Amino acid sequence: MGQPTNILDTPVEYVKGVGPSRGETFRKELNIHTVSDLLYAFPFRYIDRTRFHLIKDLTSDNDLVQLKGTLLSLEKVKSKSSRQYVKGVFKDASGFLELVWFQGASWIEKTLKTGEEYIVFGRVSDFNGIKSMPHPEMELLSEASVTVSKTFDPVYPGTEKMDAKGLDSRGRRKIVKGLLATLTPTDLPETLPAYVTEKLRICSSFEAMQWIHFPANEQQKELATNRIKFEEFFYVQIRLLLSKAYRRIKYRSVPFEVIGPVFNHFYHHKLPWQLTGAQKKVIREIRADLGKHTQMNRLLQGDVGSGKTIVALLSMLMAIDNGLQACLMAPTEILAQQHFETITGLTADMDIRVAYLSGSVKGKKRTEALEGLLTGDIHIIVGTHALIEENVVFHKLGLAIVDEQHRFGVAQRASLWKKNEDFVPHILVMTATPIPRTLAMTLYGDLEVSIIDELPPGRKEIKTIHKYESARAELIQFMHTEIARGRQIYVVYPLIEESEKLDLKNLQDGYERLLQYFPPPDFQISVVHGRMKAADKDAEMQRFVTGQTQIMVATTVIEVGVNVPNASIMVIENTERFGLSQLHQLRGRVGRGAEQSYCILMTDYKISKEGRERIATMVRTTNGFEIAEADLKLRGPGDIQGTQQSGLLDFKLLNISADTAIMDAARNIALRIIENDSNLEKDIHQSIRTQVAKLRKKHKDWARIS
Ligand code: ADP
Ligand code: MG
């Protein structure tokens, strides 16, 4: 058996105190195979054994704390629910604290002695302003072996089986401490260039590893934590920027050399309104990219209603002026069709041929579309993911635009790249789901980003109101008034898969109730939900779009993209069951015309704290970015739409909603490094090169970046 060259690769069972049986437990329970795995399994909290806390300083925010003082009294008490518990009064030099035990009364009375000095150990909780410590660990001061230790004690996540093998935190501490004592700085070589660690006053890899497990004080804990967080994000950025640099060299696009008659004619004679400043700005950014041989890879972020479609169209016109084709892909048929209609409408009586393609386009129409694409006769094609199918072949695809890009997988998007033999199309992906800045840095760090941060003029801010069931009659009255004024109304019900039947029943009941208040033939109501056939759905939707129905009762299928400017009221039922970004998307369906729009959030009386916060956020702001930030804080990155697909967010310590300063620093430094040394060839970047190679081996998917 060959000796591993690096101690970090040594199987965990060879670590002192582990052995084959515990090694197996480490592997099975925590996926810890090597010394490195063991070291990188960080504690999730610490116990401060370095000192005794004072009762007067305690808050329920404290972690486990250690106190020294006298146990004054013990008594059995009956709570209101006639549950018996034991209450103790404990005193130190600074004050008094209640100790509480809900179990083991007789054992406590037998073992604990009032009037004696104890070391007490536990967590403080706050019940209606009264501080107490439930189930403290108690050790007689006179019998205590060690009263204070030199470092914080790490606490590791574990399992029952680990505990049974003596691998609870206490056992792990011993093993890790022993292991760390045998390591030298050469075993944990520096992974960052010296000029970076010096400039940012970052501790070394070696120190970070020692301190993350056994910090002597808060400062060491922080230094180690920050270093590890920095490194985590720094290498994600290096990875993204390297792949971007690689793409720049490997792929070539056709530069759009001119702005020609098609674009100019449209811009000067067909544009229905003035572009907003933000639209002009992003068009300039896109124009600059399109003029180059290097492939554009740009993300266009703009809130619902900010006017991304026209930006897409203007970009596509630039392609036509340069003898190239363009495509626009949308995630749903309804949305794709709407884009198609918008574009054909706007370019009517111009010499531009626009075609539509989706799974439901069949027969002669399909053949014509495919042929037109192949010959170059069709300039613009709008469609669903049917566009990426292999038999869709272009004459010369210069620009591919993907709307609501998070609805597509990386692979789906990537297949658009392969539509030409000897060059790749420029790529513009668009999203109306605002992404918090730090999340965008992580997920789209290899893309250029354009942001439309301004709505077209004349939009009235949507009024958002939270109402309880008791206001139902008032709501119906309001709906009547607005319908009488010619407005249309959405009523949306949640549809969550696990309770699909129940949800559909809710929708059905709601629909029947509305029928009573808004009876035909004076009123007409559309119903759309996910269980309907696509054709029926479209027909119902169409009735609403054309104004034949005044109310649309729906599940969230209407979430994406639908544009009915005359609809000015969005009623959301069971609002507490929707996520923030979904609520924001739904609200974006109204406020598209000149009328004052309303979003009415109906809820039950019982709402969780988080639900309440979501609703408060919706009422407070219509700014998508603010909502996205709040969403990130409430739910963490793992749940945010579109993030699951990527291993990019597997951070051990970094918290992307809290650690923004660290992320900015890491991003900026990574940017500068790759700008100056895109292949990491310089000597000063040797450590980065080594680390990247190591990470590549560990994360196989690194090789296969979009
Ligand atoms: P989204 O960014 O959500 O895709 P759209 O492109 O659908 O937004 O635009 C929303 C609405 O705003 C459309 O009805 C569109 O015609 C209109 N619009 C877009 N840009 C402007 C503008 N500069 N001035 C006035 N109306 C605009
Ligand atoms: Mg859109």
Side-chain angles (χ1 to χ4, degrees), residues 273-276 279 303-309 456 459 563 592:
W273 7 251
Q274 278 258 312
L275 294 178
T276 62
Q279 283 170 323
D303 220 333
V304 271
S306 63
K308 294 183 293 297
T309 316
R459 297 268 171 85
N563 191 24
R592 298 182 154 238

Side-chain angles (χ1 to χ4, degrees), residues 271-277 279 300-311 335 338-339 342 346 403-404 430-432 452 455-459 561-563 565 588-589 591-593:
L271 208 53
W273 7 251
Q274 278 258 312
L275 294 178
T276 62
Q279 283 170 323
L300 175 58
Q301 277 200 71
D303 220 333
V304 271
S306 63
K308 294 183 293 297
T309 316
I310 197 76
V311 172
L335 193 55
Q338 222 167 42
H339 280 324
T342 305
L346 286 169
D403 196 13
E404 301 296 340
M430 312 200 287
T431 181
I452 306 186
L455 291 180
R459 297 268 171 85
V562 191
N563 191 24
R589 299 301 109 222
R592 298 182 154 238

Side-chain angles (χ1 to χ4, degrees), residues 7-53:
I7 179 162
L8 295 184
D9 300 328
T10 309
V12 68
E13 62 188 86
Y14 297 121
V15 175
K16 187 159 179 266
V18 180
S21 156
R22 283 176 157 188
E24 167 119 339
T25 309
F26 267 126
R27 280 193 295 275
K28 283 206 172 136
E29 295 294 299
L30 293 183
N31 206 16
I32 290 176
H33 295 257
T34 62
V35 165
S36 167
D37 294 340
L38 183 62
L39 290 174
Y40 283 92
F42 301 134
F44 67 101
R45 57 187 180 81
Y46 302 86
I47 303 167
D48 184 356
R49 291 265 192 194
T50 62
R51 64 197 173 106
F52 293 109
H53 282 75

Side-chain angles (χ1 to χ4, degrees), residues 166-461:
L167 293 174
D168 57 357
S169 283
R170 194 185 292 250
R172 288 269 288 280
R173 256 171 234 154
K174 233 176 122 181
I175 292 167
V176 176
K177 195 169 217 163
L179 171 63
L180 283 170
T182 65
L183 296 181
T184 65
T186 29
D187 296 322
L188 287 164
E190 187 50 58
T191 56
L192 296 169
Y195 74 89
V196 172
T197 53
E198 272 157 31
K199 176 155 181 265
L200 296 179
R201 295 167 203 271
I202 286 177
C203 68
S204 70
S205 287
F206 182 70
E207 284 167 327
M209 191 53 80
Q210 301 279 346
W211 296 345
I212 196 73
H213 288 283
F214 296 98
N217 49 46
E218 290 288 344
Q219 199 203 354
Q220 284 188 357
K221 196 166 95 185
E222 200 173 305
L223 279 168
T225 309
N226 286 348
R227 146 107 211 183
I228 292 164
K229 286 177 174 177
F230 179 90
E231 192 174 330
E232 283 190 297
F233 198 62
F234 176 78
Y235 276 101
V236 163
Q237 291 304 307
I238 289 285
R239 160 193 173 178
L240 290 168
L241 296 170
L242 276 178
S243 90
K244 181 170 155 184
Y246 171 78
R247 282 197 311 239
R248 267 175 182 271
I249 298 163
K250 171 138 188 233
Y251 299 111
R252 278 281 172 264
S253 289
V254 178
F256 295 10
E257 282 174 356
V258 298
I259 290 290
V262 175
F263 181 95
N264 283 328
H265 179 76
F266 184 86
Y267 196 88
H268 295 295
H269 304 291
K270 293 282 171 180
L271 208 53
W273 7 251
Q274 278 258 312
L275 294 178
T276 62
Q279 283 170 323
K280 284 187 188 155
K281 178 193 70 187
V282 305
I283 288 167
R284 272 198 302 273
E285 289 165 352
I286 292 168
R287 164 71 195 120
D289 279 5
L290 292 176
K292 295 178 194 154
H293 266 294
T294 43
Q295 184 194 28
M296 173 170 83
N297 256 300
R298 192 168 275 279
L299 169 71
L300 175 58
Q301 277 200 71
D303 220 333
V304 271
S306 63
K308 294 183 293 297
T309 316
I310 197 76
V311 172
L313 176 57
L314 284 164
S315 312
M316 294 196 288
L317 297 182
M318 293 182 205
I320 301 174
D321 269 330
N322 289 277
L324 297 157
Q325 295 165 297
C327 73
L328 172 57
M329 180 165 83
T332 65
E333 179 115 30
I334 292 173
L335 193 55
Q337 224 145 26
Q338 222 167 42
H339 280 324
F340 175 68
E341 277 153 27
T342 305
I343 289 170
T344 43
L346 286 169
T347 57
D349 62 88
M350 282 178 74
D351 189 19
I352 296 177
R353 278 167 304 281
V354 185
Y356 177 78
L357 191 70
S358 76
S360 63
V361 177
K362 300 211 166 84
K364 188 161 163 253
K365 275 201 155 169
R366 186 176 196 88
T367 321
E368 271 173 17
L370 293 182
E371 263 173 31
L373 283 179
L374 192 58
T375 58
D377 199 39
I378 293 171
H379 299 111
I380 293 177
I381 185 132
V382 180
T384 59
H385 52 268
L387 290 178
I388 62 179
E389 281 165 25
E390 240 166 83
N391 63 357
V392 180
V393 183
F394 289 80
H395 175 61
K396 256 182 142 185
L397 179 65
L399 171 66
I401 303 182
V402 183
D403 196 13
E404 301 296 340
Q405 59 77 32
H406 60 273
R407 296 276 171 131
F408 295 97
V410 176
Q412 279 179 312
R413 271 180 274 151
S415 46
L416 279 176
W417 290 41
K418 300 179 194 134
K419 291 290 179 188
N420 305 303
E421 298 224 316
D422 40 7
F423 65 96
V424 290
H426 293 290
I427 304 278
L428 179 67
V429 297
M430 312 200 287
T431 181
T433 307
I435 302 160
R437 197 178 55 87
T438 54
L439 187 58
M441 256 158 63
T442 318
L443 292 175
Y444 306 120
D446 57 341
L447 304 184
E448 309 299 331
V449 178
S450 287
I451 297 177
I452 306 186
D453 52 5
E454 178 187 358
L455 291 180
R459 297 268 171 85
K460 293 201 178 82
E461 178 118 335

